[in-house]
Amino acid sequence: MSPGSVTVIVPTRHRTEYVRVAVLSILASAAELALTTSVRTRVLICDDAPETDDTKELARQLGVDYARVLEHDGRADPGAAIALGVSRVDTSHQLIFGDDDLMLVRHLPLAWAKVDNGADVVSSSYQLAGADLAPARTVVLPPTCLGDLLAGHTLVNDGSLVAHDLVAELDWDASLEGQMLLPIWGELMLAGRRFDQVTEPTWLYRRHGANISAAALSPHDLGRRAEARERLRQRAVAVLGSVPESPYAAQLAEKSARAERNRRLTRRVVRRLRAGLARRLSP
């Protein structure tokens, strides 16, 4: 393993039209990182038991590494490809990047600057975009903690930059599907690792009809979420003796209470104005 190096894992299956754009954007950000540091970036496409060699050929054309899951697990989810990618990392750090998303040039340099400043896990703010990659809304990630995860507020990117040796031996359970990363981040929080955020949006989260995450909040996905949180809750109780509070949930509750107070005040003012107007208009 070489110090100061990153593997970007790109899990995919039969989506070469998206993968090409994603990988080219990663290579551009890697080139920017190399301009100011000695950090080497490796791109690893992990193909989830495809029926063709199209993605393998694309990897060859783009000059990036390729790994292939031999047997498909029947899930419409990249968990097996992610687990394979993690097992093939040979660099000091790793991150997972969606095969249909777009990395902006400053993504890797800004995340690595946080690592240089002592962060163990770095999440990056982003812009929600349409199928045409036109940005629609900016999401700036706030600081987060274990209590937030347990309360259902996952404010850590699945694609966060993390030191590989911190996660290599953890349980990358593909059966959790879209919640696969939650126990990984939870274990690092229990271990006291430092989480940080890049507040500048440095990637585009493309939303379209073929999103792998399209089933989010379906009954099946909600079941996986509940299972992952319960596992983490039991670990928290075993290690800490109790379930920590969620600062983010408290902030949301205060925001909701403040909004309700403002609505009540507005209704009171409107009633008084109407009453005063009625008195003026009465004969």
Side-chain angles (χ1 to χ4, degrees), residues 200-216:
E200 176 184 323
T202 59
W203 60 286
L204 301 185
Y205 180 16
R206 191 201 305 241
R207 306 296 294 160
H208 55 91
N211 272 120
I212 291 174
S213 59

Side-chain angles (χ1 to χ4, degrees), residues 111-260:
W112 192 263
K114 295 286 187 179
V115 169
D116 271 346
N117 199 37
D120 296 306
V121 182
V122 181
S123 296
S124 296
S125 300
Y126 57 94
Q127 290 181 307
L128 287 170
D132 59 357
L133 290 175
R137 181 166 67 89
T138 297
V139 177
V140 177
L141 297 176
T144 190
C145 64
L146 180 61
D148 293 334
L149 290 185
L150 291 169
H153 304 296
T154 306
L155 305 172
V156 185
N157 295 142
D158 284 356
S160 295
L161 180 63
V162 59
H164 176 66
D165 62 0
L166 296 181
V167 299
E169 301 303 321
L170 297 181
D171 184 13
W172 292 81
D173 185 356
S175 72
L176 290 175
E177 300 180 1
Q179 307 308 308
M180 182 181 188
L181 275 295
L182 188 145
I184 300 295
W185 306 139
E187 287 295 334
L188 296 186
M189 288 176 176
L190 283 168
R193 297 299 177 179
R194 179 182 166 192
F195 284 67
D196 206 344
Q197 306 78 33
V198 174
T199 55
E200 176 184 323
T202 59
W203 60 286
L204 301 185
Y205 180 16
R206 191 201 305 241
R207 306 296 294 160
H208 55 91
N211 272 120
I212 291 174
S213 59
L217 301 182
S218 67
H220 178 78
D221 179 66
L222 290 173
R224 299 288 77 73
R225 288 171 187 260
E227 179 183 351
R229 283 203 303 272
E230 178 56 23
R231 287 190 198 179
L232 186 54
R233 187 195 68 80
Q234 292 178 13
R235 281 284 295 147
V237 171
V239 174
L240 304 176
S242 63
V243 175
E245 297 294 325
S246 167
Y248 187 73
Q251 291 171 17
L252 291 179
E254 172 56 29
K255 183 178 179 180
S256 177
R258 187 164 57 248
E260 178 59 25

Side-chain angles (χ1 to χ4, degrees), residues 8 17 42 47 53 76 90 97 120 124 127 136 145 151-152 161 163 178 197 214 235 238 249 270 282:
V8 181
E17 71 278 17
R42 173 194 181 207
D47 212 354
D53 288 328
D90 62 356
F97 198 74
D120 296 306
S124 296
Q127 290 181 307
C145 64
L161 180 63
Q197 306 78 33
R235 281 284 295 147
V270 169
S282 61

Side-chain angles (χ1 to χ4, degrees), residues 104-116:
L104 302 181
V105 170
R106 284 164 58 82
H107 183 88
L108 290 174
L110 290 182
W112 192 263
K114 295 286 187 179
V115 169
D116 271 346

Side-chain angles (χ1 to χ4, degrees), residues 272-282:
R272 289 178 178 176
L273 289 174
R274 286 176 175 172
L277 182 60
R279 285 194 297 270
R280 290 185 182 182
L281 295 177
S282 61

